[in-house]
């Protein structure tokens, strides 16, 4: 049945998709997809990087309560090393969209490229500061990954993971040189690969 273009319906069934964790030397890359409910607006949505930790935590709960659908997905370290970080990120985004309990009419992807999806998709550069659903996805992904990194910090003390969240800070690189890579480190990433091959990182 052919329907006239209903902009309210299209808006309601647009999924925003974002990722967190492409740059770190350890841990999974985490993605989220969110379909917001126009009837239940969420105040204060913004790029997760522009929000305080307390504000992100509050919005994390509110998004999950009010959204029409949401899904948090991931690609593991082994997948990142096998596929490369870009393809692993695309895979995690596919999983997030596929995991939605409501099928979107359109998926808007933060960045300049899209994963292959079963629904129409379009990239939006700086989408996490322009599209509310992408901002919501960025918050779900970041809070979820940050919590995970706190747990990994307890499992692998000495690396400072709770602070740098796996990014290649001076502290992290010094700890890698001193303690060596752990099972959660991405072996395909330059500094980790260098240490495994006996070269300085």
């Amino acid at each position: 049945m052919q329907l006239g273009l209903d902009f309210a319906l299209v808006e309601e069934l647009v999924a925003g998709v974002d990722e967190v964790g492409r740059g770190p030397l350890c841990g999974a890359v985490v993605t989220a997809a969110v379909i917001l409910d126009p009837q239940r607006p969420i105040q204060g949505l913004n790029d997760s990087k522009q929000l305080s930790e307390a504000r992100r935590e509050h919005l994390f709960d509110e998004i999950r309560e009010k959204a029409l659908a949401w899904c948090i997905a991931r690609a593991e370290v082994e997948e990142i090393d096998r596929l490369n970080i870009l393809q692993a990120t695309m895979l995690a985004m596919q999983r997030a969209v596929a995991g939605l309990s409501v099928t979107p009419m359109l998926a808007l992807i933060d960045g300049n490229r899209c994963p292959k999806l079963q629904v129409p998709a379009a990239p939006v550069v700086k989408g996490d500061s322009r599209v509310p659903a992408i901002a919501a996805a960025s918050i779900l992904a970041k809070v979820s990954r940050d919590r995970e990194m706190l747990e990994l910090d307890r499992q692998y003390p000495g690396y400072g993971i709770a602070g740098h969240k796996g990014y290649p800070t001076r502290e992290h690189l010094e700890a890698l040189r001193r303690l060596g890579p752990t099972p959660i480190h991405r072996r395909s990433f330059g500094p980790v690969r260098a240490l495994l091959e006996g070269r300085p990182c």
Side-chain angles (χ1 to χ4, degrees):
M1 180 173 64
Q2 183 68 40
L3 298 175
L5 189 60
D6 184 339
F7 288 95
L9 180 64
V10 170
E11 180 183 350
E12 182 174 297
L13 293 177
V14 168
V17 184
D18 202 3
E19 56 75 26
V20 173
R22 284 180 64 170
L25 301 179
C26 65
V29 60
V30 177
T31 60
V34 178
I35 302 175
L36 294 174
D37 184 348
Q39 304 305 313
R40 305 185 73 193
I42 299 171
Q43 301 301 319
L45 287 175
N46 198 353
D47 172 7
S48 63
K49 297 184 290 296
Q50 304 301 318
L51 300 170
S52 69
E53 182 178 354
R55 186 68 183 140
R56 288 195 299 267
E57 289 281 348
H58 171 79
L59 286 169
F60 182 85
D61 293 333
E62 188 174 359
I63 292 163
R64 293 190 304 162
E65 176 194 348
K66 291 184 176 180
L68 281 175
W70 59 271
C71 179
I72 299 169
R74 57 199 289 116
E76 303 295 348
V77 171
E78 297 79 9
E79 293 173 312
I80 293 169
D81 286 338
R82 186 175 78 249
L83 299 172
N84 75 44
I85 184 59
L86 174 61
Q87 294 307 316
T89 301
M90 296 294 109
L91 176 61
M93 287 182 170
Q94 290 171 343
R95 289 169 174 165
V97 174
L100 290 168
S101 59
V102 176
T103 301
M105 296 178 67
L106 174 67
L108 297 179
I109 316 296
D110 185 57
N112 60 6
R113 61 183 72 203
C114 294
K116 293 179 180 178
L117 300 172
Q118 299 299 310
V119 299
V124 182
V125 175
K126 299 189 184 303
D128 46 11
S129 60
R130 297 170 58 194
V131 179
I134 296 179
S138 79
I139 293 166
L140 292 193
K142 180 162 179 56
V143 171
S144 180
R145 189 176 191 279
D146 282 358
R147 290 177 178 178
E148 197 170 296
M149 299 312 282
L150 292 177
E151 178 58 34
L152 290 175
D153 183 71
R154 288 188 281 270
Q155 293 180 34
Y156 300 98
Y159 293 86
I161 295 172
H164 54 63
K165 306 298 190 294
Y167 284 88
T169 63
R170 179 181 298 177
E171 177 191 10
H172 193 181
L173 293 174
E174 288 176 352
L176 269 173
R177 286 190 285 268
R178 187 174 70 253
L179 302 171
T182 71
I184 63 167
H185 278 94
R186 302 171 180 178
R187 278 142 174 74
S188 57
F189 277 46
V192 182
R193 186 172 65 245
L195 282 172
L196 291 170
E197 293 174 353
R199 297 181 286 111
C201 73

